[in-house]
Amino acid sequence: MTGRLAGKVAIVTGGGHGIGKAYALGLAGEGAKVVVAEIDAIAAGTVAADLKSRGFEAIAVRTDVADPASVAAMVERTLVSFGRIDILVNNAAIFATVPMSRSPFDEIEIEEWDRMMAVNLRGMWLASRAAVPHMRARGYGKIINISSGTALKGSASRIHYVTSKAGVLGFTRTLARELGQHGICVNCVAPGSTLSEENPDESIVKMRSAAAGERALQRVQKPEDIVGAIVFFASPESDFITGQTLVVDGGACMH
Ligand SMILES: NC(=O)c1ccc[n+]([C@@H]2O[C@H](COP(=O)([O-])OP(=O)(O)OC[C@H]3O[C@@H](n4cnc5c(N)ncnc54)[C@H](O)[C@@H]3O)[C@@H](O)[C@H]2O)c1
C-alpha cells in the first residue's frame, strides 16, 4: 500500500455514517488500515466492506464510545487485527444519525443533556485513554478531535451540543500538553454546517444551503471538504503541530 499514511492504523469513531464515512475513505485512500468504530453495527460493516471492495484494509467494530468496556474492546480488536494504533479520529457524536433536539436551552431534558456529554465528551476521553498507551509505547501518535464551528460562533439552539463541542477545544489543548512528551500530537478540526445527511429532506437542504451565505466561499459544505484537514493532521506533515484547532467551513468563522 502506498500513500502518505502507508502502514499506519487509524480508528475512526462514528465512521459508519456521514462525515466519518468520508474520513474512513480518505484515510484508507492514503494507505491507512482503517477501523470503523461505530454504534450502528450494520453501517460499520457496510463501510468496512466498501473499503475492502476498493482494495483497502478495514474492519468494522460495533462500539459505543460512551461505554468503557466497549471502547476497550474496540482497541483490543484493532490490536488483534492490525497490531498497532497510530491515528485516532474522535468523530462519534450525537448529532444527526443519533439525533438531538434543537430546542431552546431551557427545554432540553436532563437525560438528553447527560447523554450528550457522555457520548460527545466522555466518549472522546475514553477512546483516547484506551488508545494512548499503545501510541505512547511506540513514541508516536495522532489524535484528531472533531469540534464544530458552533463552538466558536455560538448557536441560538441546542446548547447541550454546542457546549460539548466547546469542551472539545479545551480537551484538545490539555491532552496535547500532556502527550507532547510522548511524541503524540493532538489536534482539533471544527467543521462548518455540512450536508452530511444520507437522505436529506427539503428542510435540511434549506438549512445547509442557508449556511453558504455566511461564507467567503459561498457554497454548501460537503463531507469531502473536511477530509484533507484530517489526512493532514494524521500524516507526518503535521508532526510539529499540536493543540491546534483548524476551522474548515469555507471562511464563515475566521479566528
Ligand atoms: N454535519 C455538520 O454540519 C457538522 C458540523 C460541525 C461538526 N460536526 C461533527 O462532525 C461529526 C460527524 O457528524 P455528521 O454530520 O457526520 O453526523 P452523524 O450523526 O451522521 O455522525 C456521527 C456518527 O457517530 C455515530 N455515533 C453516535 N453515537 C455513537 C456512540 N455512542 N458510539 C459510537 N458511534 C456513535 C453515529 O451513528 C454516526 O455515524 C460529529 O462529531 C459532529 O458533531 C458536524
Side-chain angles (χ1 to χ4, degrees):
M1 190 58 78
T2 55
R4 284 188 283 169
L5 306 175
K8 306 280 191 208
V9 174
I11 298 174
V12 182
T13 69
H17 291 280
I19 311 178
K21 197 160 68 172
Y23 296 158
L25 180 59
L27 294 166
E30 287 292 341
K33 299 171 191 176
V34 173
V35 178
V36 183
E38 162 67 54
I39 198 161
D40 178 347
I42 294 173
T46 304
V47 172
D50 177 46
L51 295 179
K52 284 195 268 188
S53 76
R54 296 169 191 248
F56 304 135
E57 288 190 64
I59 58 166
V61 184
R62 197 259 169 201
T63 307
D64 177 356
V65 294
D67 173 7
S70 180
V71 169
M74 170 189 86
V75 164
E76 187 56 32
R77 282 279 313 280
T78 303
L79 295 173
V80 167
S81 297
F82 296 139
R84 54 196 275 174
I85 303 170
D86 303 283
I87 300 153
L88 170 65
V89 184
N90 279 316
N91 167 76
I94 294 179
F95 180 68
T97 302
V98 179
M100 63 181 160
S101 52
R102 292 176 180 258
S103 314
F105 84 98
D106 51 355
E107 290 176 18
I108 291 165
E109 299 291 340
I110 287 177
E111 292 72 25
E112 189 178 330
W113 176 280
D114 288 348
R115 181 68 186 159
M116 184 69 79
M117 299 306 154
V119 174
N120 294 19
L121 276 176
R122 190 175 78 201
M124 202 166 269
W125 170 60
L126 290 175
S128 302
R129 200 178 65 161
V132 161
H134 307 284
M135 296 177 170
R136 198 160 42 201
R138 297 175 44 254
Y140 189 82
K142 300 284 197 174
I143 298 176
I144 304 153
N145 303 319
I146 305 303
S147 177
S148 162
T150 58
L152 302 164
K153 292 186 293 188
S155 167
S157 69
R158 63 196 150 103
I159 197 169
H160 52 345
Y161 172 78
V162 178
T163 302
S164 75
K165 291 296 172 180
V168 175
L169 307 177
F171 177 86
T172 297
R173 291 169 188 165
T174 300
L175 198 60
R177 291 209 182 267
E178 290 201 28
L179 298 182
Q181 62 185 311
H182 303 294
I184 301 169
C185 298
V186 187
N187 289 294
C188 175
V189 171
S193 177
T194 304
L195 186 60
S196 63
E197 292 82 3
E198 281 147 15
N199 297 300
D201 61 23
E202 211 176 302
S203 69
I204 287 173
V205 173
K206 207 169 153 195
M207 175 179 76
R208 301 287 177 224
S209 303
E214 298 171 13
R215 302 191 162 120
L217 303 167
Q218 296 200 336
R219 66 162 171 79
V220 171
Q221 180 163 352
K222 305 225 171 76
E224 296 70 34
D225 291 318
I226 313 159
V227 172
I230 300 296
V231 170
F232 173 65
F233 280 137
S235 78
E237 290 162 29
S238 58
D239 275 356
F240 203 57
I241 302 175
T242 195
Q244 304 304 309
T245 294
L246 181 58
V247 180
V248 181
D249 70 354
C253 174
M254 300 185 183
H255 73 123

